[in-house]
Coordinates of all heavy atoms in Angstrom, one line a residue:
N560 N 11.0 30.5 -20.1 CA 12.0 30.3 -21.1 C 11.5 29.1 -22.0 O 10.9 28.2 -21.5 CB 13.4 29.9 -20.5 CG 14.0 31.1 -19.8 OD1 14.0 32.2 -20.3 ND2 14.5 30.8 -18.6
N561 N 11.8 29.2 -23.3 CA 11.4 28.1 -24.2 C 12.4 26.9 -23.9 O 13.6 27.0 -24.1 CB 11.6 28.5 -25.6 CG 10.9 27.5 -26.6 OD1 11.0 26.3 -26.4 ND2 10.3 28.0 -27.6
P562 N 11.8 25.7 -23.5 CA 12.7 24.6 -23.1 C 13.4 24.0 -24.3 O 14.3 23.1 -24.1 CB 11.7 23.6 -22.5 CG 10.4 23.9 -23.1 CD 10.4 25.4 -23.3
E566 N 19.9 27.5 -25.4 CA 20.4 27.6 -24.0 C 19.7 26.6 -23.0 O 20.4 26.0 -22.2 CB 20.2 29.0 -23.5 CG 20.8 29.3 -22.1 CD 22.3 29.0 -22.1 OE1 23.0 29.2 -23.1 OE2 22.8 28.6 -21.0
S567 N 18.4 26.4 -23.2 CA 17.7 25.5 -22.4 C 18.1 24.1 -22.6 O 18.3 23.3 -21.6 CB 16.2 25.6 -22.6 OG 15.7 26.9 -22.3
V568 N 18.3 23.7 -23.8 CA 18.7 22.3 -24.2 C 20.1 22.1 -23.6 O 20.4 21.0 -23.0 CB 18.7 22.1 -25.7 CG1 19.3 20.7 -26.0 CG2 17.2 22.1 -26.2
W570 N 21.4 23.5 -21.0 CA 21.3 23.4 -19.6 C 20.8 22.0 -19.2 O 21.3 21.4 -18.2 CB 20.3 24.4 -19.1 CG 20.1 24.4 -17.6 CD1 20.8 25.2 -16.7 CD2 19.3 23.5 -16.8 NE1 20.4 24.9 -15.4 CE2 19.5 23.9 -15.4 CE3 18.4 22.5 -17.1 CZ2 18.8 23.2 -14.4 CZ3 17.7 21.9 -16.1 CH2 17.9 22.2 -14.7
M571 N 19.9 21.5 -19.9 CA 19.3 20.1 -19.6 C 20.5 19.1 -19.7 O 20.6 18.2 -18.8 CB 18.3 19.7 -20.6 CG 17.0 20.6 -20.6 SD 15.9 20.1 -19.2 CE 14.5 21.1 -19.6
Y720 N 12.0 20.3 -9.7 CA 12.2 21.6 -9.1 C 13.3 22.3 -9.9 O 13.1 23.5 -10.2 CB 12.6 21.5 -7.6 CG 13.1 22.8 -7.0 CD1 12.1 23.7 -6.7 CD2 14.4 23.0 -6.8 CE1 12.5 24.9 -6.1 CE2 14.8 24.2 -6.2 CZ 13.9 25.2 -5.9 OH 14.3 26.4 -5.3
S721 N 14.3 21.6 -10.3 CA 15.4 22.3 -11.0 C 15.0 22.7 -12.4 O 15.3 23.8 -12.9 CB 16.6 21.3 -11.2 OG 17.1 21.0 -9.9
V722 N 14.1 21.9 -13.1 CA 13.6 22.2 -14.4 C 12.7 23.5 -14.3 O 12.8 24.4 -15.1 CB 12.9 21.0 -15.0 CG1 12.2 21.5 -16.3 CG2 13.9 19.9 -15.3
I723 N 11.8 23.4 -13.3 CA 10.9 24.6 -13.1 C 11.7 25.9 -12.8 O 11.4 26.9 -13.4 CB 9.9 24.3 -12.0 CG1 8.9 23.2 -12.4 CG2 9.1 25.6 -11.6 CD1 8.0 22.7 -11.3
K724 N 12.7 25.8 -12.0 CA 13.5 26.9 -11.6 C 14.2 27.5 -12.9 O 14.4 28.7 -13.0 CB 14.5 26.5 -10.6 CG 15.3 27.6 -10.0 CD 16.2 27.1 -8.9 CE 17.1 28.3 -8.3 NZ 18.0 27.8 -7.2
M725 N 14.7 26.6 -13.8 CA 15.3 27.0 -15.0 C 14.3 27.6 -16.0 O 14.7 28.6 -16.7 CB 16.0 25.8 -15.7 CG 16.8 26.1 -16.9 SD 15.9 26.1 -18.5 CE 15.4 24.3 -18.5
L726 N 13.1 27.1 -16.1 CA 12.2 27.6 -17.1 C 11.5 28.9 -16.7 O 11.1 29.7 -17.5 CB 11.1 26.5 -17.3 CG 11.6 25.2 -18.0 CD1 10.5 24.2 -18.1 CD2 12.2 25.6 -19.4
V727 N 11.3 29.1 -15.4 CA 10.6 30.3 -14.9 C 11.6 31.4 -14.7 O 12.6 31.3 -14.0 CB 9.8 30.0 -13.6 CG1 9.1 31.3 -13.1 CG2 8.8 28.9 -13.8
R728 N 11.3 32.5 -15.4 CA 12.2 33.7 -15.3 C 12.0 34.5 -14.0 O 10.8 34.6 -13.5 CB 12.0 34.6 -16.5 CG 12.5 34.0 -17.8 CD 12.1 34.9 -18.9 NE 12.7 34.3 -20.2 CZ 12.4 34.8 -21.4 NH1 11.5 35.7 -21.6 NH2 13.0 34.2 -22.5

Side-chain angles (χ1 to χ4, degrees):
N560 293 313
N561 192 323
E566 184 58 33
S567 299
V568 173
W570 183 93
M571 295 282 189
Y720 173 76
S721 298
V722 170
I723 293 173
K724 190 176 177 182
M725 183 273 294
L726 292 177
V727 178
R728 288 175 177 169

